[in-house]
Amino acid sequence: MSRSDALLHNVFVYGSFQEPDIVNIMLERIPEIISVTLPGFKRFRLKGRLYPCVVPSEAGEVHGKVLMGLTDKELASLDAVEGNEYERVTVEVVRTDNSEKFTVKTYLWINKDDPDMYGEWDFEEWKRLHMPKFMKTIKQIIELHKNPHQGKGLDDYTQIIHENLGDAPSS
């Protein structure tokens, strides 16, 4: 493995980031994308929000994609969009095409007992009903992230997500 390969990240995505058009907005490219399953976790809807969350669940499994070969800068863009309600962790996924297991990064919902979690999040429903609004919001966050002189950080990005894609948090 070359030195530059060691700096690349593979990231499991399970919600709106499965959509190549969204990935292209965030990363300004579409990386290699692999279909996988994440065992030991469950994906939920969040009341009043257009995006899902994933939390540990012994009997659960989440189908999603892995974005392969992301740079540190691209990973920072994902961090910005995920905001401060998710924690980036390392997990093991299983490829759907050949059952190979490998470790990747993903974003878990910090509040594992959140009363707003309910039911299974539906990717196809999200694409039909919410994708345009989501794309507009992601573009806004990425533009702010690209211009750090504006003094915006994770709390600001999370506020933008709440304002545009769900209920604004109470202060």
Side-chain angles (χ1 to χ4, degrees):
M1 182 183 325
S2 74
R3 186 174 146 93
S4 63
D5 289 339
L7 300 176
L8 297 180
H9 310 278
N10 299 325
V11 180
F12 174 71
V13 295
Y14 51 84
S16 55
F17 299 166
Q18 295 179 86
E19 173 55 46
D21 290 340
I22 297 292
V23 173
N24 195 35
I25 290 169
M26 290 188 304
L27 306 181
E28 298 178 337
R29 72 179 182 102
I30 299 175
E32 178 184 2
I33 299 174
I34 297 172
S35 295
V36 298
T37 300
L38 173 65
F41 291 84
K42 187 165 180 175
R43 175 177 42 212
F44 289 96
R45 292 177 182 261
L46 288 161
K47 289 179 186 166
R49 315 244 178 111
L50 302 182
Y51 49 89
C53 69
V54 164
V55 295
S57 173
E58 269 186 46
E61 73 175 14
V62 178
H63 299 281
K65 309 286 184 188
V66 172
L67 307 178
M68 301 292 291
L70 303 188
T71 65
D72 288 343
K73 182 179 177 186
E74 291 170 333
L75 188 63
S77 290
L78 288 178
D79 288 346
V81 172
E82 291 293 11
N84 62 10
E85 295 177 304
Y86 292 89
E87 173 184 25
R88 181 171 19 106
V89 299
T90 300
V91 295
E92 185 176 81
V93 295
V94 181
R95 287 180 67 132
T96 55
D97 60 352
N98 64 13
S99 300
E100 174 191 351
K101 294 180 180 180
F102 62 107
T103 57
V104 297
K105 294 174 176 32
T106 196
Y107 295 88
L108 300 183
W109 194 243
I110 290 173
N111 185 358
K112 293 166 184 40
D113 299 316
D114 192 330
D116 288 340
M117 295 187 311
Y118 74 102
E120 174 66 22
W121 186 82
D122 185 303
F123 180 60
E124 294 303 320
E125 175 185 280
W126 172 85
K127 281 174 44 175
R128 274 191 327 274
L129 300 176
H130 306 296
M131 191 169 137
K133 185 175 187 179
F134 197 89
M135 288 177 74
K136 181 180 174 189
T137 301
I138 297 304
K139 285 178 185 176
Q140 182 182 1
I141 291 169
I142 292 300
E143 283 307 310
L144 287 172
H145 182 66
K146 285 181 186 176
N147 298 299
H149 66 275
Q150 293 182 12
K152 301 291 183 183
L154 284 181
D155 290 339
D156 298 302
Y157 304 148
T158 300
Q159 183 65 34
I160 291 166
I161 288 169
H162 280 281
E163 289 170 358
N164 293 320
L165 302 177
D167 301 330
S170 55
S171 301

